[in-house]
Amino acid sequence: MHGMSDASIHRLGQSVLGYAEGRLKLHPVPLDYTLTPEQLLDRAGQTITAEGLGGQRAMSLFEEVLAPACLSVDHPRYLSFIPCAPSDAATMFDLVVSASSMYAGSWLEGSGAVFAENQALRWIADLAGLPESAGGVFVPGGTIGNLSALVAARHSARERATVAAAKGERPHRPWRVAATEGAHSSIKSACDVMDAELVTVPPSEELRLTGSALREVIEREGPETFFAVVATCGTTNFGVIDELAEVADVCAEHGIWFHVDGAYGGAALAAPSVRERFAGVERADSFIVDPHKWLFAPFDCCALLYRDPARARAAHTQKASYLDVLTDTPDWNPTDYSVGLTRRARGLPLWFSLATHGTDAYATAIERTLEVAAYAERRVRESEHLELVAHRDLSVVVFRRLGWEAGDYQAWSDRLLADEVAFVVPTSHAGETLARFAIVNPQTTEEDIDEILATMA
Ligand SMILES: *Cc1c(COP(=O)(O)O)cnc(C)c1O
């Protein structure tokens, strides 16, 4: 298995790297389809055998059977959930990361990779206006990013409670998190994992978390019972940005950790046309953004940043005798800042693409997606049978087709996928089924929007 001959590496390399090159050169990529387990078993058969199939056979099975049974998340008319549209440079570099056998959990083992990742993190920290002291780590996704930030927040609150108790004050252990209903499901899930209670704050008419609503809930429930407030800059369903500055004020007033979830929308910090909507994000104690959503990196990549990394380190450093050589140093060890120990240098594809193209290209690409989203919004407004459901902050457009019920939206969505035209699943809000576009791919065009809207006539 190891130490293949050079000739074998060359042959299999041609298949594997040739496939990667061919996929990158597809314009457009196919949308592809979903199969059932029975269909896949029928087409692929038993792939794991005692003798092995051989690399060429395994590769052709992947190419002919398995890969087409996966939707292309970078298809320009894949507008469901939050798509992923990595730059070519980022995708190519993902191959390099795999071929390099680097461990990026510690400085000792991965200093070069960690150095480059940290420069990419610094770019994001600067976009957010976080202080020089800020730092963090690339984790697999927003879910782990949010969980890690909340674990750090609770750890800080517990330390403060311990200090207070030592001074003879009545000890209390904050166990609550406040956020709006629009906050991502991973916040609830993090609370469940931590056995914490999520208190939802009613959003404003524009679906935002506001300072006054937050203050009311926190003061009613007891500020000392909260260890974190989560504001979202770009809710997943609507792309709404909470009133970050107001939320920061309330957190500061009560000494509560201010976490900002920008998994989707944080990328738009790089877009000058909307930057001012993020005012207040610079006051976050922790902040996340998923480069695998709107910063053109492949899965799986979330940037997690802390204002004061020492507080996160205190919460997350794993202590084990076999790790002493790593933990007993002042080195920057990325693994100390999140849930998880072993880590891939998953920030490097983003770093390579940023280093290759420069940050201006990112601003341009994000502005382009915002332009297409604005176009979609305009077309919806102009249409007699379509109606915008909420205002648009970023690149998510939610709208209704007058006269349609849940089943109509589903049938429409199924038909678009079956015809390999587009992947646009319905969403819902306040019990109503709705249509939703999430546009993060700079290759999505006005024509794509028109083509999809034409199917709703
Ligand atoms: C997508 C998303 C998450 C979860 O991120 P994953 O990378 O899917 O784990 C969290 N918060 C928001 C606002 C999101 O849009």
Side-chain angles (χ1 to χ4, degrees), residues 174-187:
W175 71 93
R176 282 174 162 155
V177 175
T180 60
E181 273 160 31
H184 189 262
S185 49
S186 57
I187 301 298

Side-chain angles (χ1 to χ4, degrees), residues 301-453:
C301 188
C302 166
L304 163 62
L305 284 160
Y306 300 95
R307 164 175 301 277
D308 178 4
R311 293 165 84 186
R313 190 170 172 147
H316 287 293
T317 301
Q318 294 191 23
K319 303 279 189 328
S321 48
Y322 84 104
L323 296 173
D324 283 348
V325 57
L326 302 178
T327 43
D328 293 348
T329 73
D331 290 343
W332 184 272
N333 295 321
T335 200
D336 290 345
Y337 300 94
S338 72
V339 172
L341 183 64
T342 297
R343 70 179 293 274
R344 171 182 176 81
R346 64 171 60 82
L348 286 189
L350 170 70
W351 164 79
F352 182 71
S353 183
L354 276 169
T356 299
H357 297 296
T359 57
D360 287 353
Y362 277 71
T364 306
I366 295 165
E367 290 290 4
R368 174 67 190 135
T369 58
L370 286 166
E371 231 170 72
V372 174
Y375 176 82
E377 178 188 24
R378 202 158 63 240
R379 293 307 305 249
V380 168
R381 281 188 196 282
E382 286 165 6
S383 164
E384 276 174 10
H385 55 275
L386 302 177
E387 191 172 73
L388 209 65
V389 170
H391 70 284
R392 178 186 61 84
D393 271 355
L394 295 170
S395 68
V396 175
V397 184
V398 182
F399 57 102
R400 63 172 64 86
R401 165 67 167 83
L402 298 174
W404 276 14
E405 306 204 345
D408 300 308
Y409 287 97
Q410 193 57 54
W412 163 75
S413 171
D414 291 347
R415 197 170 60 246
L416 283 180
L417 181 58
D419 296 344
E420 291 192 48
V421 169
F423 183 53
V424 188
V425 297
T427 187
S428 70
H429 178 66
E432 182 187 2
T433 302
L434 298 162
R436 172 179 172 278
F437 292 164
I439 301 163
V440 300
N441 188 340
Q443 301 201 326
T444 302
T445 61
E446 286 81 356
E447 292 71 40
D448 290 319
I449 299 300
D450 284 338
E451 196 176 325
I452 297 170
L453 291 179

Side-chain angles (χ1 to χ4, degrees), residues 68-404:
C70 301
L71 303 185
S72 297
V73 295
D74 55 349
H75 188 283
R77 290 191 295 277
Y78 182 121
L79 306 182
S80 292
F81 315 119
I82 306 285
C84 174
S87 70
D88 295 333
T91 300
M92 283 189 261
F93 206 74
D94 213 26
L95 300 173
V96 174
V97 174
S98 293
S100 302
S101 293
M102 295 173 299
Y103 175 70
S106 75
W107 187 266
L108 173 68
E109 292 153 282
S111 60
V114 176
F115 171 82
E117 285 190 313
N118 284 350
Q119 287 201 340
L121 285 171
R122 189 64 241 169
W123 173 62
I124 295 170
D126 285 340
L127 287 175
L130 290 170
E132 269 313 303
S133 58
V137 55
F138 287 102
V139 296
T143 299
I144 297 296
N146 283 333
L147 174 64
S148 299
L150 291 176
V151 165
R154 186 170 68 181
H155 189 270
S156 281
R158 282 180 167 168
E159 283 194 329
R160 262 185 309 157
T162 308
V163 171
K167 285 200 228 140
E169 292 171 25
R170 196 168 60 88
H172 55 77
R173 287 259 167 128
W175 71 93
R176 282 174 162 155
V177 175
T180 60
E181 273 160 31
H184 189 262
S185 49
S186 57
I187 301 298
K188 173 72 169 77
S189 142
C191 288
D192 289 345
V193 168
M194 298 170 70
D195 196 18
E197 182 190 345
L198 178 62
V199 178
T200 53
V201 181
S204 69
E205 236 168 75
E206 291 188 304
L207 303 175
R208 299 181 206 285
L209 174 60
T210 63
S212 54
L214 176 66
R215 183 175 285 109
E216 195 180 313
V217 167
I218 284 191
E219 287 175 1
R220 185 186 68 218
E221 300 286 326
E224 71 287 353
T225 67
F226 289 86
F227 66 83
V229 170
V230 179
T232 312
C233 57
T235 58
T236 321
N237 209 14
F238 284 96
V240 165
I241 303 174
D242 288 337
E243 297 292 354
L244 302 179
E246 293 178 16
V247 174
D249 285 342
V250 178
C251 289
E253 221 170 278
H254 292 294
I256 302 173
W257 184 289
F258 176 37
H259 175 61
V260 178
D261 179 356
Y264 150 64
L269 285 167
S273 69
V274 291
R275 175 59 183 86
E276 69 187 36
R277 296 183 195 170
F278 291 84
V281 67
E282 70 283 354
R283 294 164 68 189
D285 289 300
S286 52
F287 171 68
I288 67 159
V289 55
D290 276 358
H292 70 213
K293 282 177 172 166
W294 202 5
L295 283 176
F296 321 121
F299 298 140
D300 46 11
C301 188
C302 166
L304 163 62
L305 284 160
Y306 300 95
R307 164 175 301 277
D308 178 4
R311 293 165 84 186
R313 190 170 172 147
H316 287 293
T317 301
Q318 294 191 23
K319 303 279 189 328
S321 48
Y322 84 104
L323 296 173
D324 283 348
V325 57
L326 302 178
T327 43
D328 293 348
T329 73
D331 290 343
W332 184 272
N333 295 321
T335 200
D336 290 345
Y337 300 94
S338 72
V339 172
L341 183 64
T342 297
R343 70 179 293 274
R344 171 182 176 81
R346 64 171 60 82
L348 286 189
L350 170 70
W351 164 79
F352 182 71
S353 183
L354 276 169
T356 299
H357 297 296
T359 57
D360 287 353
Y362 277 71
T364 306
I366 295 165
E367 290 290 4
R368 174 67 190 135
T369 58
L370 286 166
E371 231 170 72
V372 174
Y375 176 82
E377 178 188 24
R378 202 158 63 240
R379 293 307 305 249
V380 168
R381 281 188 196 282
E382 286 165 6
S383 164
E384 276 174 10
H385 55 275
L386 302 177
E387 191 172 73
L388 209 65
V389 170
H391 70 284
R392 178 186 61 84
D393 271 355
L394 295 170
S395 68
V396 175
V397 184
V398 182
F399 57 102
R400 63 172 64 86
R401 165 67 167 83
L402 298 174
W404 276 14

